[in-house]
Amino acid sequence: MTRCSDHPEHPGRLWTRRSLGLAAACLAMLAAAPAWSQKPLTRALTPQESHFLDTAARNGLAEIAAARLAQGKARTTEVRAFAQQMADDHAVVNRELASLATARSHALPRTPDAAQQAQIERMAPLAPEAFERQYVEVLGVQAHRASVALFEQVERSTQDRDIQEFAARTLLNLRRHLELSQSLHQALSGKHGG
């Protein structure tokens, strides 16, 4: 490497040109760095993927709303603990889902669908024992069976890798929720004579 003072024709000048060239190259790379760090734009969602995101969001919101009702209305510690776990777990899933939808410029619904809301409202006036059975059967067993089927279907059919990975991760919890709700339903049926 030639030092500025060692260059016979233009001492200092070669070094300056190289320094400026290097500095300009560094600045150009730094300016371009944000573009390198951004993910490429994702393709548009298919109608099935949009439906999945919307349905999953509504299901999660219904689970959380029903769980809040159950935490105040249920009498057994098992049902209250189950409701707390459903509220906590579905809140986490809904945050992940919101992040996934936002990355795809997809606005999620902010409420359960009308049928889910009506079901929750029908349960509200029930006596505690009847409420517990209804909550665990409808929003425990039935809702989780439907959610498992929905997530399995999208995991098999989507071409969106992020949605597929989200579905696979979430399925583990949904299957666990289904098992818990089935066990709790059996226990309540024996306890309450239903």
Side-chain angles (χ1 to χ4, degrees):
M1 179 174 215
T2 306
R3 294 182 191 225
C4 298
S5 58
D6 294 341
H7 195 276
E9 291 179 18
H10 305 286
R13 198 171 210 185
L14 180 62
W15 184 258
T16 304
R17 284 185 183 155
R18 283 188 183 167
S19 296
L20 287 175
L22 183 59
C26 288
L27 286 174
M29 289 189 319
L30 288 174
W36 293 341
S37 65
Q38 293 174 355
K39 280 188 169 183
L41 294 176
T42 57
R43 64 172 178 70
L45 292 172
T46 66
Q48 294 81 12
E49 291 164 346
S50 292
H51 174 74
F52 166 73
L53 293 175
D54 291 345
T55 302
R58 285 188 177 104
N59 290 353
L61 293 167
E63 285 287 342
I64 293 168
R68 287 183 183 140
L69 179 62
Q71 288 168 335
K73 194 154 178 68
R75 296 292 176 247
T76 62
T77 56
E78 296 89 357
V79 173
R80 285 194 307 270
F82 176 76
Q84 182 65 55
Q85 184 174 0
M86 294 305 102
D88 293 346
D89 289 355
H90 284 280
V92 169
V93 169
N94 280 6
R95 283 192 296 273
E96 276 189 65
L97 188 62
S99 179
L100 193 61
T102 299
R104 283 148 185 77
S105 301
H106 181 77
L108 292 175
R110 296 178 179 258
T111 60
D113 70 25
Q116 292 165 325
Q117 191 60 44
Q119 180 64 50
I120 294 166
E121 289 169 5
R122 281 194 301 275
M123 291 187 325
L126 296 175
E129 287 181 0
F131 171 83
E132 287 181 342
R133 282 194 309 269
Q134 188 75 5
Y135 168 66
V136 172
E137 180 181 337
V138 174
L139 286 143
V141 177
Q142 292 174 13
H144 283 96
R145 275 188 190 138
S147 288
V148 165
L150 173 71
F151 277 71
E152 285 175 340
Q153 190 277 328
V154 82
E155 182 189 27
R156 287 189 307 268
S157 65
T158 186
Q159 297 301 309
D160 186 308
R161 188 175 192 80
D162 293 334
I163 291 175
Q164 189 176 47
E165 289 172 1
F166 167 76
R169 275 192 321 273
T170 305
L171 266 168
L172 298 173
N173 266 347
L174 291 174
R175 288 180 180 129
R176 189 172 49 81
H177 290 175
L178 178 57
E179 290 172 10
L180 285 171
S181 61
Q182 289 170 328
S183 296
L184 187 54
H185 185 260
Q186 282 183 325
L188 290 174
S189 295
K191 185 185 236 181
H192 297 316

